[in-house]
Amino acid sequence: MTEPQPLFSIITVTYNAASTIGPTLSSVAAQTYGGPVEYIVMDGGSTDGTPDIARRSGIEGITVVSERDRGLYDAMNKGLDRARGQYVIFLNAGDTFHSPEVLARYAEAIERHNTPGIVYGQTLLVDSERRPVGPRHLSAPEQLTYRSFADGMTVCHQAMAVLKRISSPYDLSYRFSADYEWVLRCLQHSRANVYVGPEPVIDYLNEGVTTRNEFRSLRERFRIMCYYYGILPTLLRHVRFAVRGLSRKLRTHRKPLSR
């Protein structure tokens, strides 16, 4: 007997995203996967018409909820609560599936590997015109384990489909890095993780973050690493990060000797 195709729950969290959500909606609508899909747009009470844009998309199985929340990860928890799928995918406004075949690639991997905990792939950075900027600083490994994330967010949060039963709510005590901590918990409960190949699965909108928030995010991530991997190993690892970063900077700025 053929196994039923998995139900994917795609969750997009938005707030005043009228200028960026269009490509996201289009990429969901373009998926060629023939199995069941539900699409949940959790909006934080936008005033720029974002919910109406989503409702007018005509995507089959779309649910649009617009209400106040306590921030990004609270909205993601609300989406997770509503999700009925076997697998959940978080796709932020502005981010897109790289091709119409992404869900089909995920489904094939799920069937071939008997319902793995996490199915994942590579990420391509794009600008606001959807032009490729390049790959992420960290590339997704072919063999993903819990230890893989000791060096940081090895796999982009959006570039993975996670078996819903191994997930749990995002920890709202983290304001900037709760996604990193959430993935670590999912990896702890995953019996198998499957890589779908080198072709990207996600185009990530490279908008950049403020230096202040980037520092706070890195500080939170350091605390999380200390908790999950130990204080001393994390400190030693960051010393290596700093040495590598300094070496790259010196190589970049080194000038040839004049004759």
Side-chain angles (χ1 to χ4, degrees):
M1 180 182 294
T2 303
E3 289 291 322
Q5 293 177 296
L7 168 60
F8 290 104
S9 293
I10 305 167
I11 302 168
T12 296
V13 170
T14 63
Y15 181 70
N16 287 343
S19 63
T20 57
I21 196 173
T24 307
L25 297 169
S26 296
S27 81
V28 173
Q31 291 302 297
T32 59
Y33 173 59
V37 177
E38 68 169 4
Y39 186 33
I40 301 168
V41 176
M42 289 300 309
D43 181 76
S46 293
T47 57
D48 66 347
T50 298
D52 292 332
I53 294 172
R55 292 187 185 103
R56 291 197 302 267
S57 67
I59 296 173
E60 186 176 353
I62 191 170
T63 298
V64 181
V65 179
S66 185
E67 62 186 26
R68 294 283 297 275
D69 56 52
R70 291 179 291 163
L72 173 66
Y73 298 118
D74 182 42
M76 291 166 83
N77 279 341
K78 290 182 177 184
L80 201 56
D81 283 343
R82 288 177 174 270
R84 298 177 296 107
Q86 186 180 13
Y87 284 84
V88 293
I89 301 168
F90 285 93
L91 189 66
N92 289 348
D95 301 334
T96 64
F97 290 118
H98 181 72
S99 73
E101 292 77 35
V102 170
L103 289 184
R105 289 169 63 194
Y106 281 164
E108 181 183 359
I110 289 165
E111 181 179 6
R112 190 169 66 247
H113 294 274
N114 192 25
T115 317
I118 297 174
V119 181
Y120 68 98
Q122 300 290 352
T123 300
L124 178 69
L125 302 181
V126 299
D127 63 18
S128 59
E129 301 298 321
R130 317 310 300 178
R131 294 174 300 206
V133 175
R136 295 174 72 232
H137 175 59
L138 294 175
S139 296
E142 293 186 20
Q143 301 294 327
L144 177 66
T145 70
Y146 167 72
R147 299 300 309 176
S148 301
F149 269 58
D151 289 330
M153 200 80 172
T154 307
V155 181
C156 182
H157 182 241
Q158 289 89 326
M160 55 178 68
V162 177
L163 189 64
K164 186 172 186 287
R165 69 169 181 259
I166 70 169
S167 71
S168 52
Y170 290 82
D171 186 341
L172 300 187
S173 67
Y174 299 110
R175 292 187 58 198
F176 305 102
S177 296
D179 50 350
Y180 176 70
E181 195 272 340
W182 182 81
V183 173
L184 283 175
R185 278 187 279 125
C186 292
L187 284 167
Q188 283 183 323
H189 292 92
S190 176
R191 63 171 182 79
N193 309 304
V194 177
Y195 178 58
V196 296
E199 181 185 351
V201 293
I202 292 296
D203 290 350
Y204 179 89
L205 181 60
N206 189 38
E207 290 182 301
V209 294
T210 65
T211 302
R212 178 173 60 87
N213 284 351
E214 185 176 15
F215 175 75
R216 293 161 106 182
S217 175
L218 291 172
R219 188 169 60 183
E220 278 191 356
R221 193 168 296 183
F222 180 80
R223 283 171 45 210
I224 294 166
M225 287 179 173
C226 288
Y227 178 82
Y228 282 94
Y229 297 113
I231 296 174
L232 183 58
T234 298
L235 284 171
L236 292 175
R237 193 170 287 110
H238 278 73
V239 169
R240 292 199 299 271
F241 293 164
V243 171
R244 279 205 308 265
L246 181 59
S247 297
R248 283 198 300 268
K249 188 173 292 187
L250 289 173
R251 286 196 302 270
T252 300
H253 291 90
R254 186 179 293 141
K255 296 180 180 180
L257 293 174
S258 59
R259 294 187 179 184

